[in-house]
Every structure is written in C-alpha cells, then in structure tokens.
C-alpha cells in the first residue's frame, strides 16, 4: 500500500517550475500553488498582469492534490438550515456560486484542454439513518422549489439502481455534481498558468511580508520579490507570517483509501451510475470510482493531523467502514492511503477579501474543489477593482476563541460528533 495521494501518483508531474532565484518585481504575487492559487494566477495572467506564484512545497501538494476529486454543487450543509440562518436571498446567491464553481471547472478543463476525466455524473447524498431520508426529502422539496430543480429523491426500494449496498435508506441526487482526476486538474491549471507567462517557484515559501513603496516586499529562502499586490491562497498554512489567518482557520485531518482496480462488473453493481456518493453522518464517509476503475473511500475517520503514521491508522478505520458499506470488497487490496488538512472555518463557509492591502481566499471547509477554482478567477477581478463580485464579501471573520496554537480542541470536537452520530 502506498502512503501517498493516488491523484498525485497517477498524474504527470508539473514540469514548468521556474528555476533559479526569486527576484525582481511583479504586479501580483500569489502565495500558494493549490487550486485557488493556480486558478487566480491563470486568470490574472490572462488579464495581462505579471504574476509570480510562490509555492512552499510543490504544486498541488496540499489539499488540492489530496482530496476526493468530487466537484459538487450545493452546500455541504442542508439548504433549509442555510436559508433560515442566512436569509433566503443570501442562501440562494451562495448556492448558485457553488453551481458557478462547477461550471468554472468545466470551462477551464475545456479551454485549457486539461485531460482530467471531468464528468457530470451527479452526486448522491445517502441517508445513513431512516429519519435522515425524511430530512433529505424535505430539503429536496425546498431545493426544487427555490434553487435546484436538478435534484431528485431515490427511495430505499429503488436504491440498488444507484448504490449496491444495503447500509443506506435512500438518497438525494444532485445532477449538476461532477467528478474529476484532481491531480491532473491542478497540475494542468499550473501548466496553463505557466504557458501564459506566470513564474511558478516551487520550494519557495513566503517567510516574510512587509509594506514597501508601491506595494509589498516578500522574503523567501530563494530570494526576495517586490510586488504591487499579494493574494494569499495558502489554505491551512503553518509557514510564514500568517498568524491572523491561523487564528481563524482550523486545520482538520481528512483521510482516503483507494482499492486496487476492480472488475467493471463489480463497479456496475456497486456504483452503476458512477455518482459521487456522500453519506449524511456528521463524521461523513464518501466514495466514488476512479478513472481506472478503483473505488475511492474517504472520511474524517479520526480528528487528527495528517502524517504517514496518522494516515495509516485512519486508513484502517476507513477500510472497516468500506467493508461495512460493501462487504464484497473484503478481499480487495488497498493500494493507496493518504490524508490531507482541511481548512475549516467556524461556520464552515469560505472567507475571501482584503485586509491591510493583502488579498486572501480560503476556508472552503472540505467543499472547495469547485469554490477554490471559482474564487481564483473571482479574486483576479476583485484585485482589479471589482470587489462587488466576491460572493463572501459581506461575511465578517472573527478569530476563533482559544485557537492560538495547534488545535488542541479537535479530539473533543471529534468525540462530540461521534456521539451525535450514535445518538441520532
Ligand atoms: C482529504 C481532503 C479531501 C477533500 N475532498 C474534497 C472533495 O472531494 N470535494 C471538494 O469540493 N473539496 C474537497 N476537499 C477540499 C479541497 O481540496 C480544498 O478546499 C481545496 O483544494 C483548497 O485549495 P487551496 O488552493 O485554497 O488550498 P491548498 O490546496 O491547501 O493549497 C495551499 C497551498 O499554499 C501553500 N503554502 C502555504 N503557505 C505558504 C507560504 N507561506 N508560502 C508559499 N506557499 C504556501 C501550500 O504548500 C499549499 O500548496 C478536501 C480536502 C481534503 C484535505
């Protein structure tokens, strides 16, 4: 079993990194080479800006190359709850922003000819308990009446046409959802940005940032750079002068396993429509197929950080969960196991904007392949004076009380959600 991301292991490496020192000046420095940063760099370069992207490790090495590759519309939370909390008008606008996120990924894949198996296969949210089905059905009624007629319910009796497992009590289908090979997508975006003249430096963490005449000065171990504007696209960063952000984002580990390639007939039985499947538990599990006919199975498993030792422990928990859902996969070999850090905000909604002349976009809270890509393109406009285009512009962002170092409270949060799942 490889303790590495299946997506990064099965995509071409990014080949167009700039060699040599970080030096000179540019219009925009983008900090972070994930989906937000690569999408922003590409959009800024298309607008004619001189862009330098600094990546602490390698392109896509963090969440963007380690996720489930699910590119789904809709909120991670229930639409009715969001509507009650934010007001219908705001909730509908944000819901449509996630639609636009999926559309943006689809458009970039076509425009930049990125071979990443993007397919609108739809998502199914699976009721893990009988009463969850009723809740999903109420949600679907509201969705269909307000923002998403491309949804439908599937009863338990009909579920075999969607999922070959008797663990679920029906489901809610979102037809606009999609899947992709996210390693090929993020590296393809970076190649597209490099083709448009973006200088992409890998192993070049921003370690210092201060105001300088006409903009900002950035320090890296590879040299320093003068830039007129800065975009922080740095996810759960623990590197560099980003304390303000670190007090607002909690890095939460999430983990995945991938089986050996399976016979097509097996997948035709387990996931006949190849949907992106997610269950309704607080400690969610999700699964999908890969372009080479494996089954990917992910979840929170444990509230722990991601590192090879922790990933392996979480992998064992996920394997047991996989066998519960699909007992016929007991004999299937697990070829990959890895984890990544999710950039959680307190309300699980992204944050983007400008503070003290520095722009930022992050906090996608585990629902970000589409939103990060969309926000990259939007932040290019915001930095060009179009702040009104930012869907998150009206959200304030207070620090999380007590969150000043490593997130000591995560095991307590994990225990709380495990108990909630048990009692529900
Ligand atoms: C395990 C897992 C599963 C997920 N599954 C899904 C899914 O199926 N669907 C979905 O929609 N979302 C999913 N997500 C969320 C999604 O992957 C993220 O929302 C998205 O990738 C965020 O992209 P990003 O570019 O903002 O951040 P990242 O991908 O984290 O990129 C930030 C980059 O900034 C770099 N960086 C940090 N600090 C510095 C510095 N000082 N200088 C230079 N570079 C720096 C980092 O090295 C990193 O490469 C998942 C996340 C995880 C972790």
């Amino acid at each position: 079993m490889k303790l590495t991301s299946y997506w990064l292991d099965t995509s071409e490496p990014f080949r167009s990194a700039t060699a040599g020192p970080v030096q000179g000046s540019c219009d925009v420095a983008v900090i972070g080479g994930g989906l937000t940063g690569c999408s922003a760099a590409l959009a800024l370069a298309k607008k004619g800006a001189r862009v330098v992207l600094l990546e602490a490790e390698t392109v896509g090495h963090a969440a963007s190359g380690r996720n489930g590759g699910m590119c789904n519309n809709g909120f991670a939370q229930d639409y009715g709850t969001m509507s009650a909390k934010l007001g219908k008008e705001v909730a509908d606008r944000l819901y449509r922003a996630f639609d636009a996120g999926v559309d943006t990924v689809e458009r970039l894949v076509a425009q930049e000819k990125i071979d990443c198996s993007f397919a609108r296969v739809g998502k199914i949210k699976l009721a893990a308990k009988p009463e969850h089905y009723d809740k999903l059905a109420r949600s679907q009624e509201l969705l269909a009446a307000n923002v998403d007629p491309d949804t439908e319910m599937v009863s338990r009796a009909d579920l075999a046409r969607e999922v070959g497992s008797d663990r679920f009590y029906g489901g809610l289908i979102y037809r606009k959802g999609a899947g992709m090979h996210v390693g090929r997508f993020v590296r393809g975006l970076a190649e597209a940005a490099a083709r448009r003249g973006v200088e992409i430096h890998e192993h070049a963490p921003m370690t210092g940032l201060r105001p300088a005449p006409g903009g900002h000065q950035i320090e890296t171990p590879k040299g320093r750079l003068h830039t007129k504007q800065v975009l922080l696209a740095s996810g759960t960063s623990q590197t560099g002068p980003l304390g303000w952000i670190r007090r607002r984002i909690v890095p939460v580990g999430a983990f995945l396993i991938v089986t050996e390639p399976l016979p097509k007939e097996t997948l035709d039985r387990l996931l006949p429509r190849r949907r992106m499947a997610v269950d309704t538990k607080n400690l969610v599990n999700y699964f999908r197929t890969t372009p080479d006919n494996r089954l990917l199975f992910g979840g929170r498993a444990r509230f722990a950080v991601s590192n090879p030792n922790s990933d392996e422990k979480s992998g064992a928990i996920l394997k047991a969960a996989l066998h519960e859902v699909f007992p016929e996969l007991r004999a299937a070999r697990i070829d990959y196991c890895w984890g990544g850090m999710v950039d959680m905000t307190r309300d699980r909604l992204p944050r983007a904007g400008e503070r003290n002349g520095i722009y930022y976009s992050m906090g996608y809270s585990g629902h970000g392949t589409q939103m990060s890509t969309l926000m990259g393109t939007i932040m290019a406009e915001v930095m060009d004076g179009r702040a009104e285009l930012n869907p998150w512009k009206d959200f304030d962002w207070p620090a999380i009380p007590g969150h000043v170092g490593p997130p000591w409270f995560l095991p307590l949060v994990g225990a709380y959600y495990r108990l909630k799942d048990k009692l529900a």
Side-chain angles (χ1 to χ4, degrees), residues 75 123 141 166 182 188 362 403:
F75 294 123
K123 157 181 155 178
E141 245 176 62
D166 60 7
V182 76
M362 55 199 55
H403 179 33

Side-chain angles (χ1 to χ4, degrees), residues 30-38 53-72 182 186 201 204-207 233-242 246 252-256 276 286 288 296 299-300 338-343 361-373:
V30 175
I31 312 303
L35 290 169
T36 306
C38 293
L53 186 153
L54 300 174
E55 165 51 51
E57 304 279 342
T58 51
V59 162
H61 116 103
S64 295
R66 298 171 163 270
N67 56 60
M70 298 189 171
C71 186
N72 291 323
V182 76
V186 65
H201 294 267
M206 177 186 75
T207 49
S234 44
T236 57
S237 177
Q238 301 300 307
T239 313
L242 303 171
R246 265 176 230 132
V252 178
F255 306 91
L256 300 97
M276 304 289 116
Y286 51 87
R288 57 165 291 182
L296 174 152
R300 201 122 302 148
W338 75 98
M341 301 307 284
V342 173
D343 52 352
S361 183
M362 55 199 55
Y364 309 108
S365 303
H367 193 43
T369 57
Q370 62 314 77
M371 187 51 69
S372 58
T373 309

Side-chain angles (χ1 to χ4, degrees), residues 13 27 37 43 47 67 95 108 118 169 173 218 225 253-254 289 295 304 325 332 411:
D27 295 322
K47 290 170 79 69
N67 56 60
Y95 191 97
L108 286 171
F118 177 92
Y169 298 86
I173 293 170
I218 290 180
L225 177 72
T289 59
L295 197 96
V325 174

